[in-house]
């Protein structure tokens, strides 16, 4: 699969193309181009370091939205076995935006609840662009109660765009993992920009202010662990990022499975009660009053 570059990645892709052209020319014409190849390789490494080592919040949002980024069912296919999808909320309908069911993670039986977008217009209409309906959340609640019945702890993993109240609702879990270039916020940068600036063109500024990147969220204790992605994003290597997520899920599940349910529920409650608490310095407070 040929990767489609984002605007800020174009210098990297141009160098990769130039490097491949040099190698092809050398092979086809039996010409020694080692010095030229090494020069381009060095420049490519430096360009990658400069771009991917200093990503802005808005650039990470763009990576999280990449059209080729793996979706939930891609991870289910690679991380889990014996996937059985369960349908319906037992009241109204089944929500195809939230495929959920039972699966095996290694030797552990799990309840799996997801949000799923589509790859094209037809799929997006079927999946409602990944936005859950009320019946989807009722289905999720039904399956969470099933997990509770059999003593299964719940782990949330943010794999792409976690930009809504619905995403936050499903994220009320014992542990919250997040992929390195995913984001997690109550509102999208564009919607925030439209409210604060009355103009969606300030989305990049809003993304910085919202502290929605994995790195910011870990500092704020909103998430518990960052799962690494391949350089450039998860769409660069589905199998690699799925393996990283699988290891993180297994390790986390093994850890919390040893904790008694009552203690686990207490810790979960305390964790979410702490989110958003901050201390205002006396200097700042006095300055604000003057």
């Amino acid at each position: 699969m040929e990767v489609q570059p984002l605007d800020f990645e174009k210098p990297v892709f141009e160098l990769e193309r130039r490097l491949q052209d040099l190698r092809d020319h050398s092979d086809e014409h039996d010409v020694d181009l080692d010095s030229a190849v090494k020069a381009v390789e060095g420049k490519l490494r430096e360009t990658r370091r400069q771009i991917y080592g200093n990503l802005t919040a808005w650039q990470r949002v763009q990576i999280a939205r990449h059209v080729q980024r793996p979706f939930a069912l891609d991870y289910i296919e690679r991380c889990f076995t014996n996937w059985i999808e369960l349908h319906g909320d037992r009241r109204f309908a089944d929500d195809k935006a939230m495929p959920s069911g039972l699966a095996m993670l290694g030797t552990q039986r799990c309840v799996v609840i997801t949000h799923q977008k589509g790859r094209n217009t037809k799929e997006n209409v079927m999946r409602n662009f990944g936005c859950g309906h009320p019946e989807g959340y009722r289905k999720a609640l039904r399956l969470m109660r099933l997990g509770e019945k059999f003593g299964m702890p719940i782990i949330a993993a943010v794999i792409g765009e976690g930009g809504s109240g619905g995403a936050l609702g499903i994220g009320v879990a014992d542990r919250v993992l997040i992929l390195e270039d995913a984001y997690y916020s109550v509102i999208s940068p564009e919607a925030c920009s439209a409210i604060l600036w009355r103009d969606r063109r300030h989305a990049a500024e809003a993304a910085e202010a919202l502290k929605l990147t994995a790195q910011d969220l870990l500092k704020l204790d909103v998430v518990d662990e960052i799962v690494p992605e391949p350089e450039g994003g998860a769409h660069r290597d589905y199998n690699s990022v799925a393996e990283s997520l699988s290891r993180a899920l297994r390790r986390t599940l093994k850890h919390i499975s040893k904790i008694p349910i009552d203690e686990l529920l207490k810790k979960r409650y305390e964790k979410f009660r702490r989110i958003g608490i901050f201390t205002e310095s006396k200097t700042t407070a006095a300055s604000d009053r003057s």
Side-chain angles (χ1 to χ4, degrees):
M1 178 176 64
E2 184 177 352
V3 177
Q4 299 176 22
L6 298 166
D7 286 343
F8 68 87
E9 295 180 299
K10 287 180 180 177
V12 171
F13 278 72
E14 288 171 2
L15 286 169
E16 288 176 340
R17 189 178 299 112
R18 188 188 308 173
L19 181 61
Q20 189 59 50
D21 289 343
L22 284 171
R23 287 171 173 166
D24 291 343
H25 186 78
S26 178
D27 293 339
E28 290 174 11
H29 301 282
D30 195 22
V31 178
D32 184 1
L33 296 175
D34 286 352
S35 59
V37 167
K38 288 180 181 178
V40 175
E41 286 176 338
K43 189 172 183 179
L44 178 58
R45 283 194 298 271
E46 178 61 21
T47 303
R48 281 174 170 166
R49 185 189 66 77
Q50 290 177 353
I51 291 177
Y52 296 123
N54 299 284
L55 290 171
T56 66
W58 180 240
Q59 287 170 339
R60 291 192 186 276
V61 168
Q62 291 175 277
I63 293 175
R65 294 173 174 175
H66 197 286
V67 295
Q68 294 170 297
R69 190 174 179 86
F71 293 156
L73 293 179
D74 296 311
Y75 289 105
I76 287 177
E77 178 185 347
R78 290 167 173 79
C79 298
F80 297 88
T81 57
N82 298 340
W83 163 249
I84 301 172
E85 186 173 354
L86 301 179
H87 300 274
D89 64 346
R90 300 299 185 263
R91 291 186 185 183
F92 179 64
D94 183 43
D95 187 354
K96 295 186 182 299
M98 296 180 66
S100 306
L102 301 175
M104 296 293 294
L105 181 65
T107 59
Q108 175 71 51
R109 172 65 72 181
C110 302
V111 170
V112 184
I113 300 166
T114 75
H115 285 93
Q116 174 75 12
K117 294 193 294 185
R119 292 287 178 196
N120 52 47
T121 302
K122 183 178 179 181
E123 286 184 9
N124 268 320
V125 170
M126 179 185 74
R127 301 287 184 188
N128 195 33
F129 294 84
C131 298
H133 293 86
E135 55 267 31
Y137 293 100
R138 285 194 293 265
K139 175 170 66 174
L141 182 59
R142 178 170 74 87
L143 294 185
M144 287 179 181
R145 285 172 174 159
L146 183 65
E148 179 187 22
K149 178 179 179 180
F150 293 102
M152 299 178 187
I154 295 197
I155 304 167
V158 184
I159 59 172
E161 296 182 80
S164 72
L168 298 179
I170 297 299
V172 181
D174 298 305
R175 294 291 187 277
V176 180
L177 313 181
I178 185 169
L179 293 188
E180 185 178 358
D181 293 315
Y183 76 87
Y184 191 40
S185 171
V186 73
I187 193 171
S188 71
E190 291 89 343
C192 178
S193 174
I195 292 170
L196 296 183
W197 285 277
R198 299 183 184 277
D199 190 334
R200 296 169 69 90
R201 288 179 296 179
H202 293 275
E205 296 170 63
E208 293 289 347
L210 284 167
K211 303 298 181 187
L212 45 63
T213 67
Q215 296 72 24
D216 287 327
L217 294 167
L218 186 64
K219 291 177 185 176
L220 295 170
D221 292 328
V222 174
V223 301
D224 301 291
E225 181 181 343
I226 296 175
V227 180
E229 296 187 29
E231 186 180 65
H235 56 282
R236 288 286 194 123
D237 189 339
Y238 280 31
N239 292 331
S240 170
V241 70
E243 179 59 32
S244 295
L245 180 60
S246 178
R247 285 197 301 267
L249 287 171
R250 294 182 195 208
R251 181 176 62 253
T252 305
L253 190 59
K254 181 179 179 181
H255 171 71
I256 65 176
S257 293
K258 297 176 182 178
I259 303 173
I261 293 295
D262 289 345
E263 183 180 347
L264 202 60
L265 292 174
K266 181 182 177 183
K267 288 180 179 292
R268 186 198 304 174
Y269 178 80
E270 291 172 349
K271 170 189 171 180
F272 283 95
R273 289 291 293 174
R274 285 195 304 269
I275 293 175
I277 295 176
F278 66 93
T279 302
E280 187 177 35
S281 69
K282 292 181 179 179
T283 303
T284 303
S287 175
D288 289 344
R289 287 193 295 270
S290 61

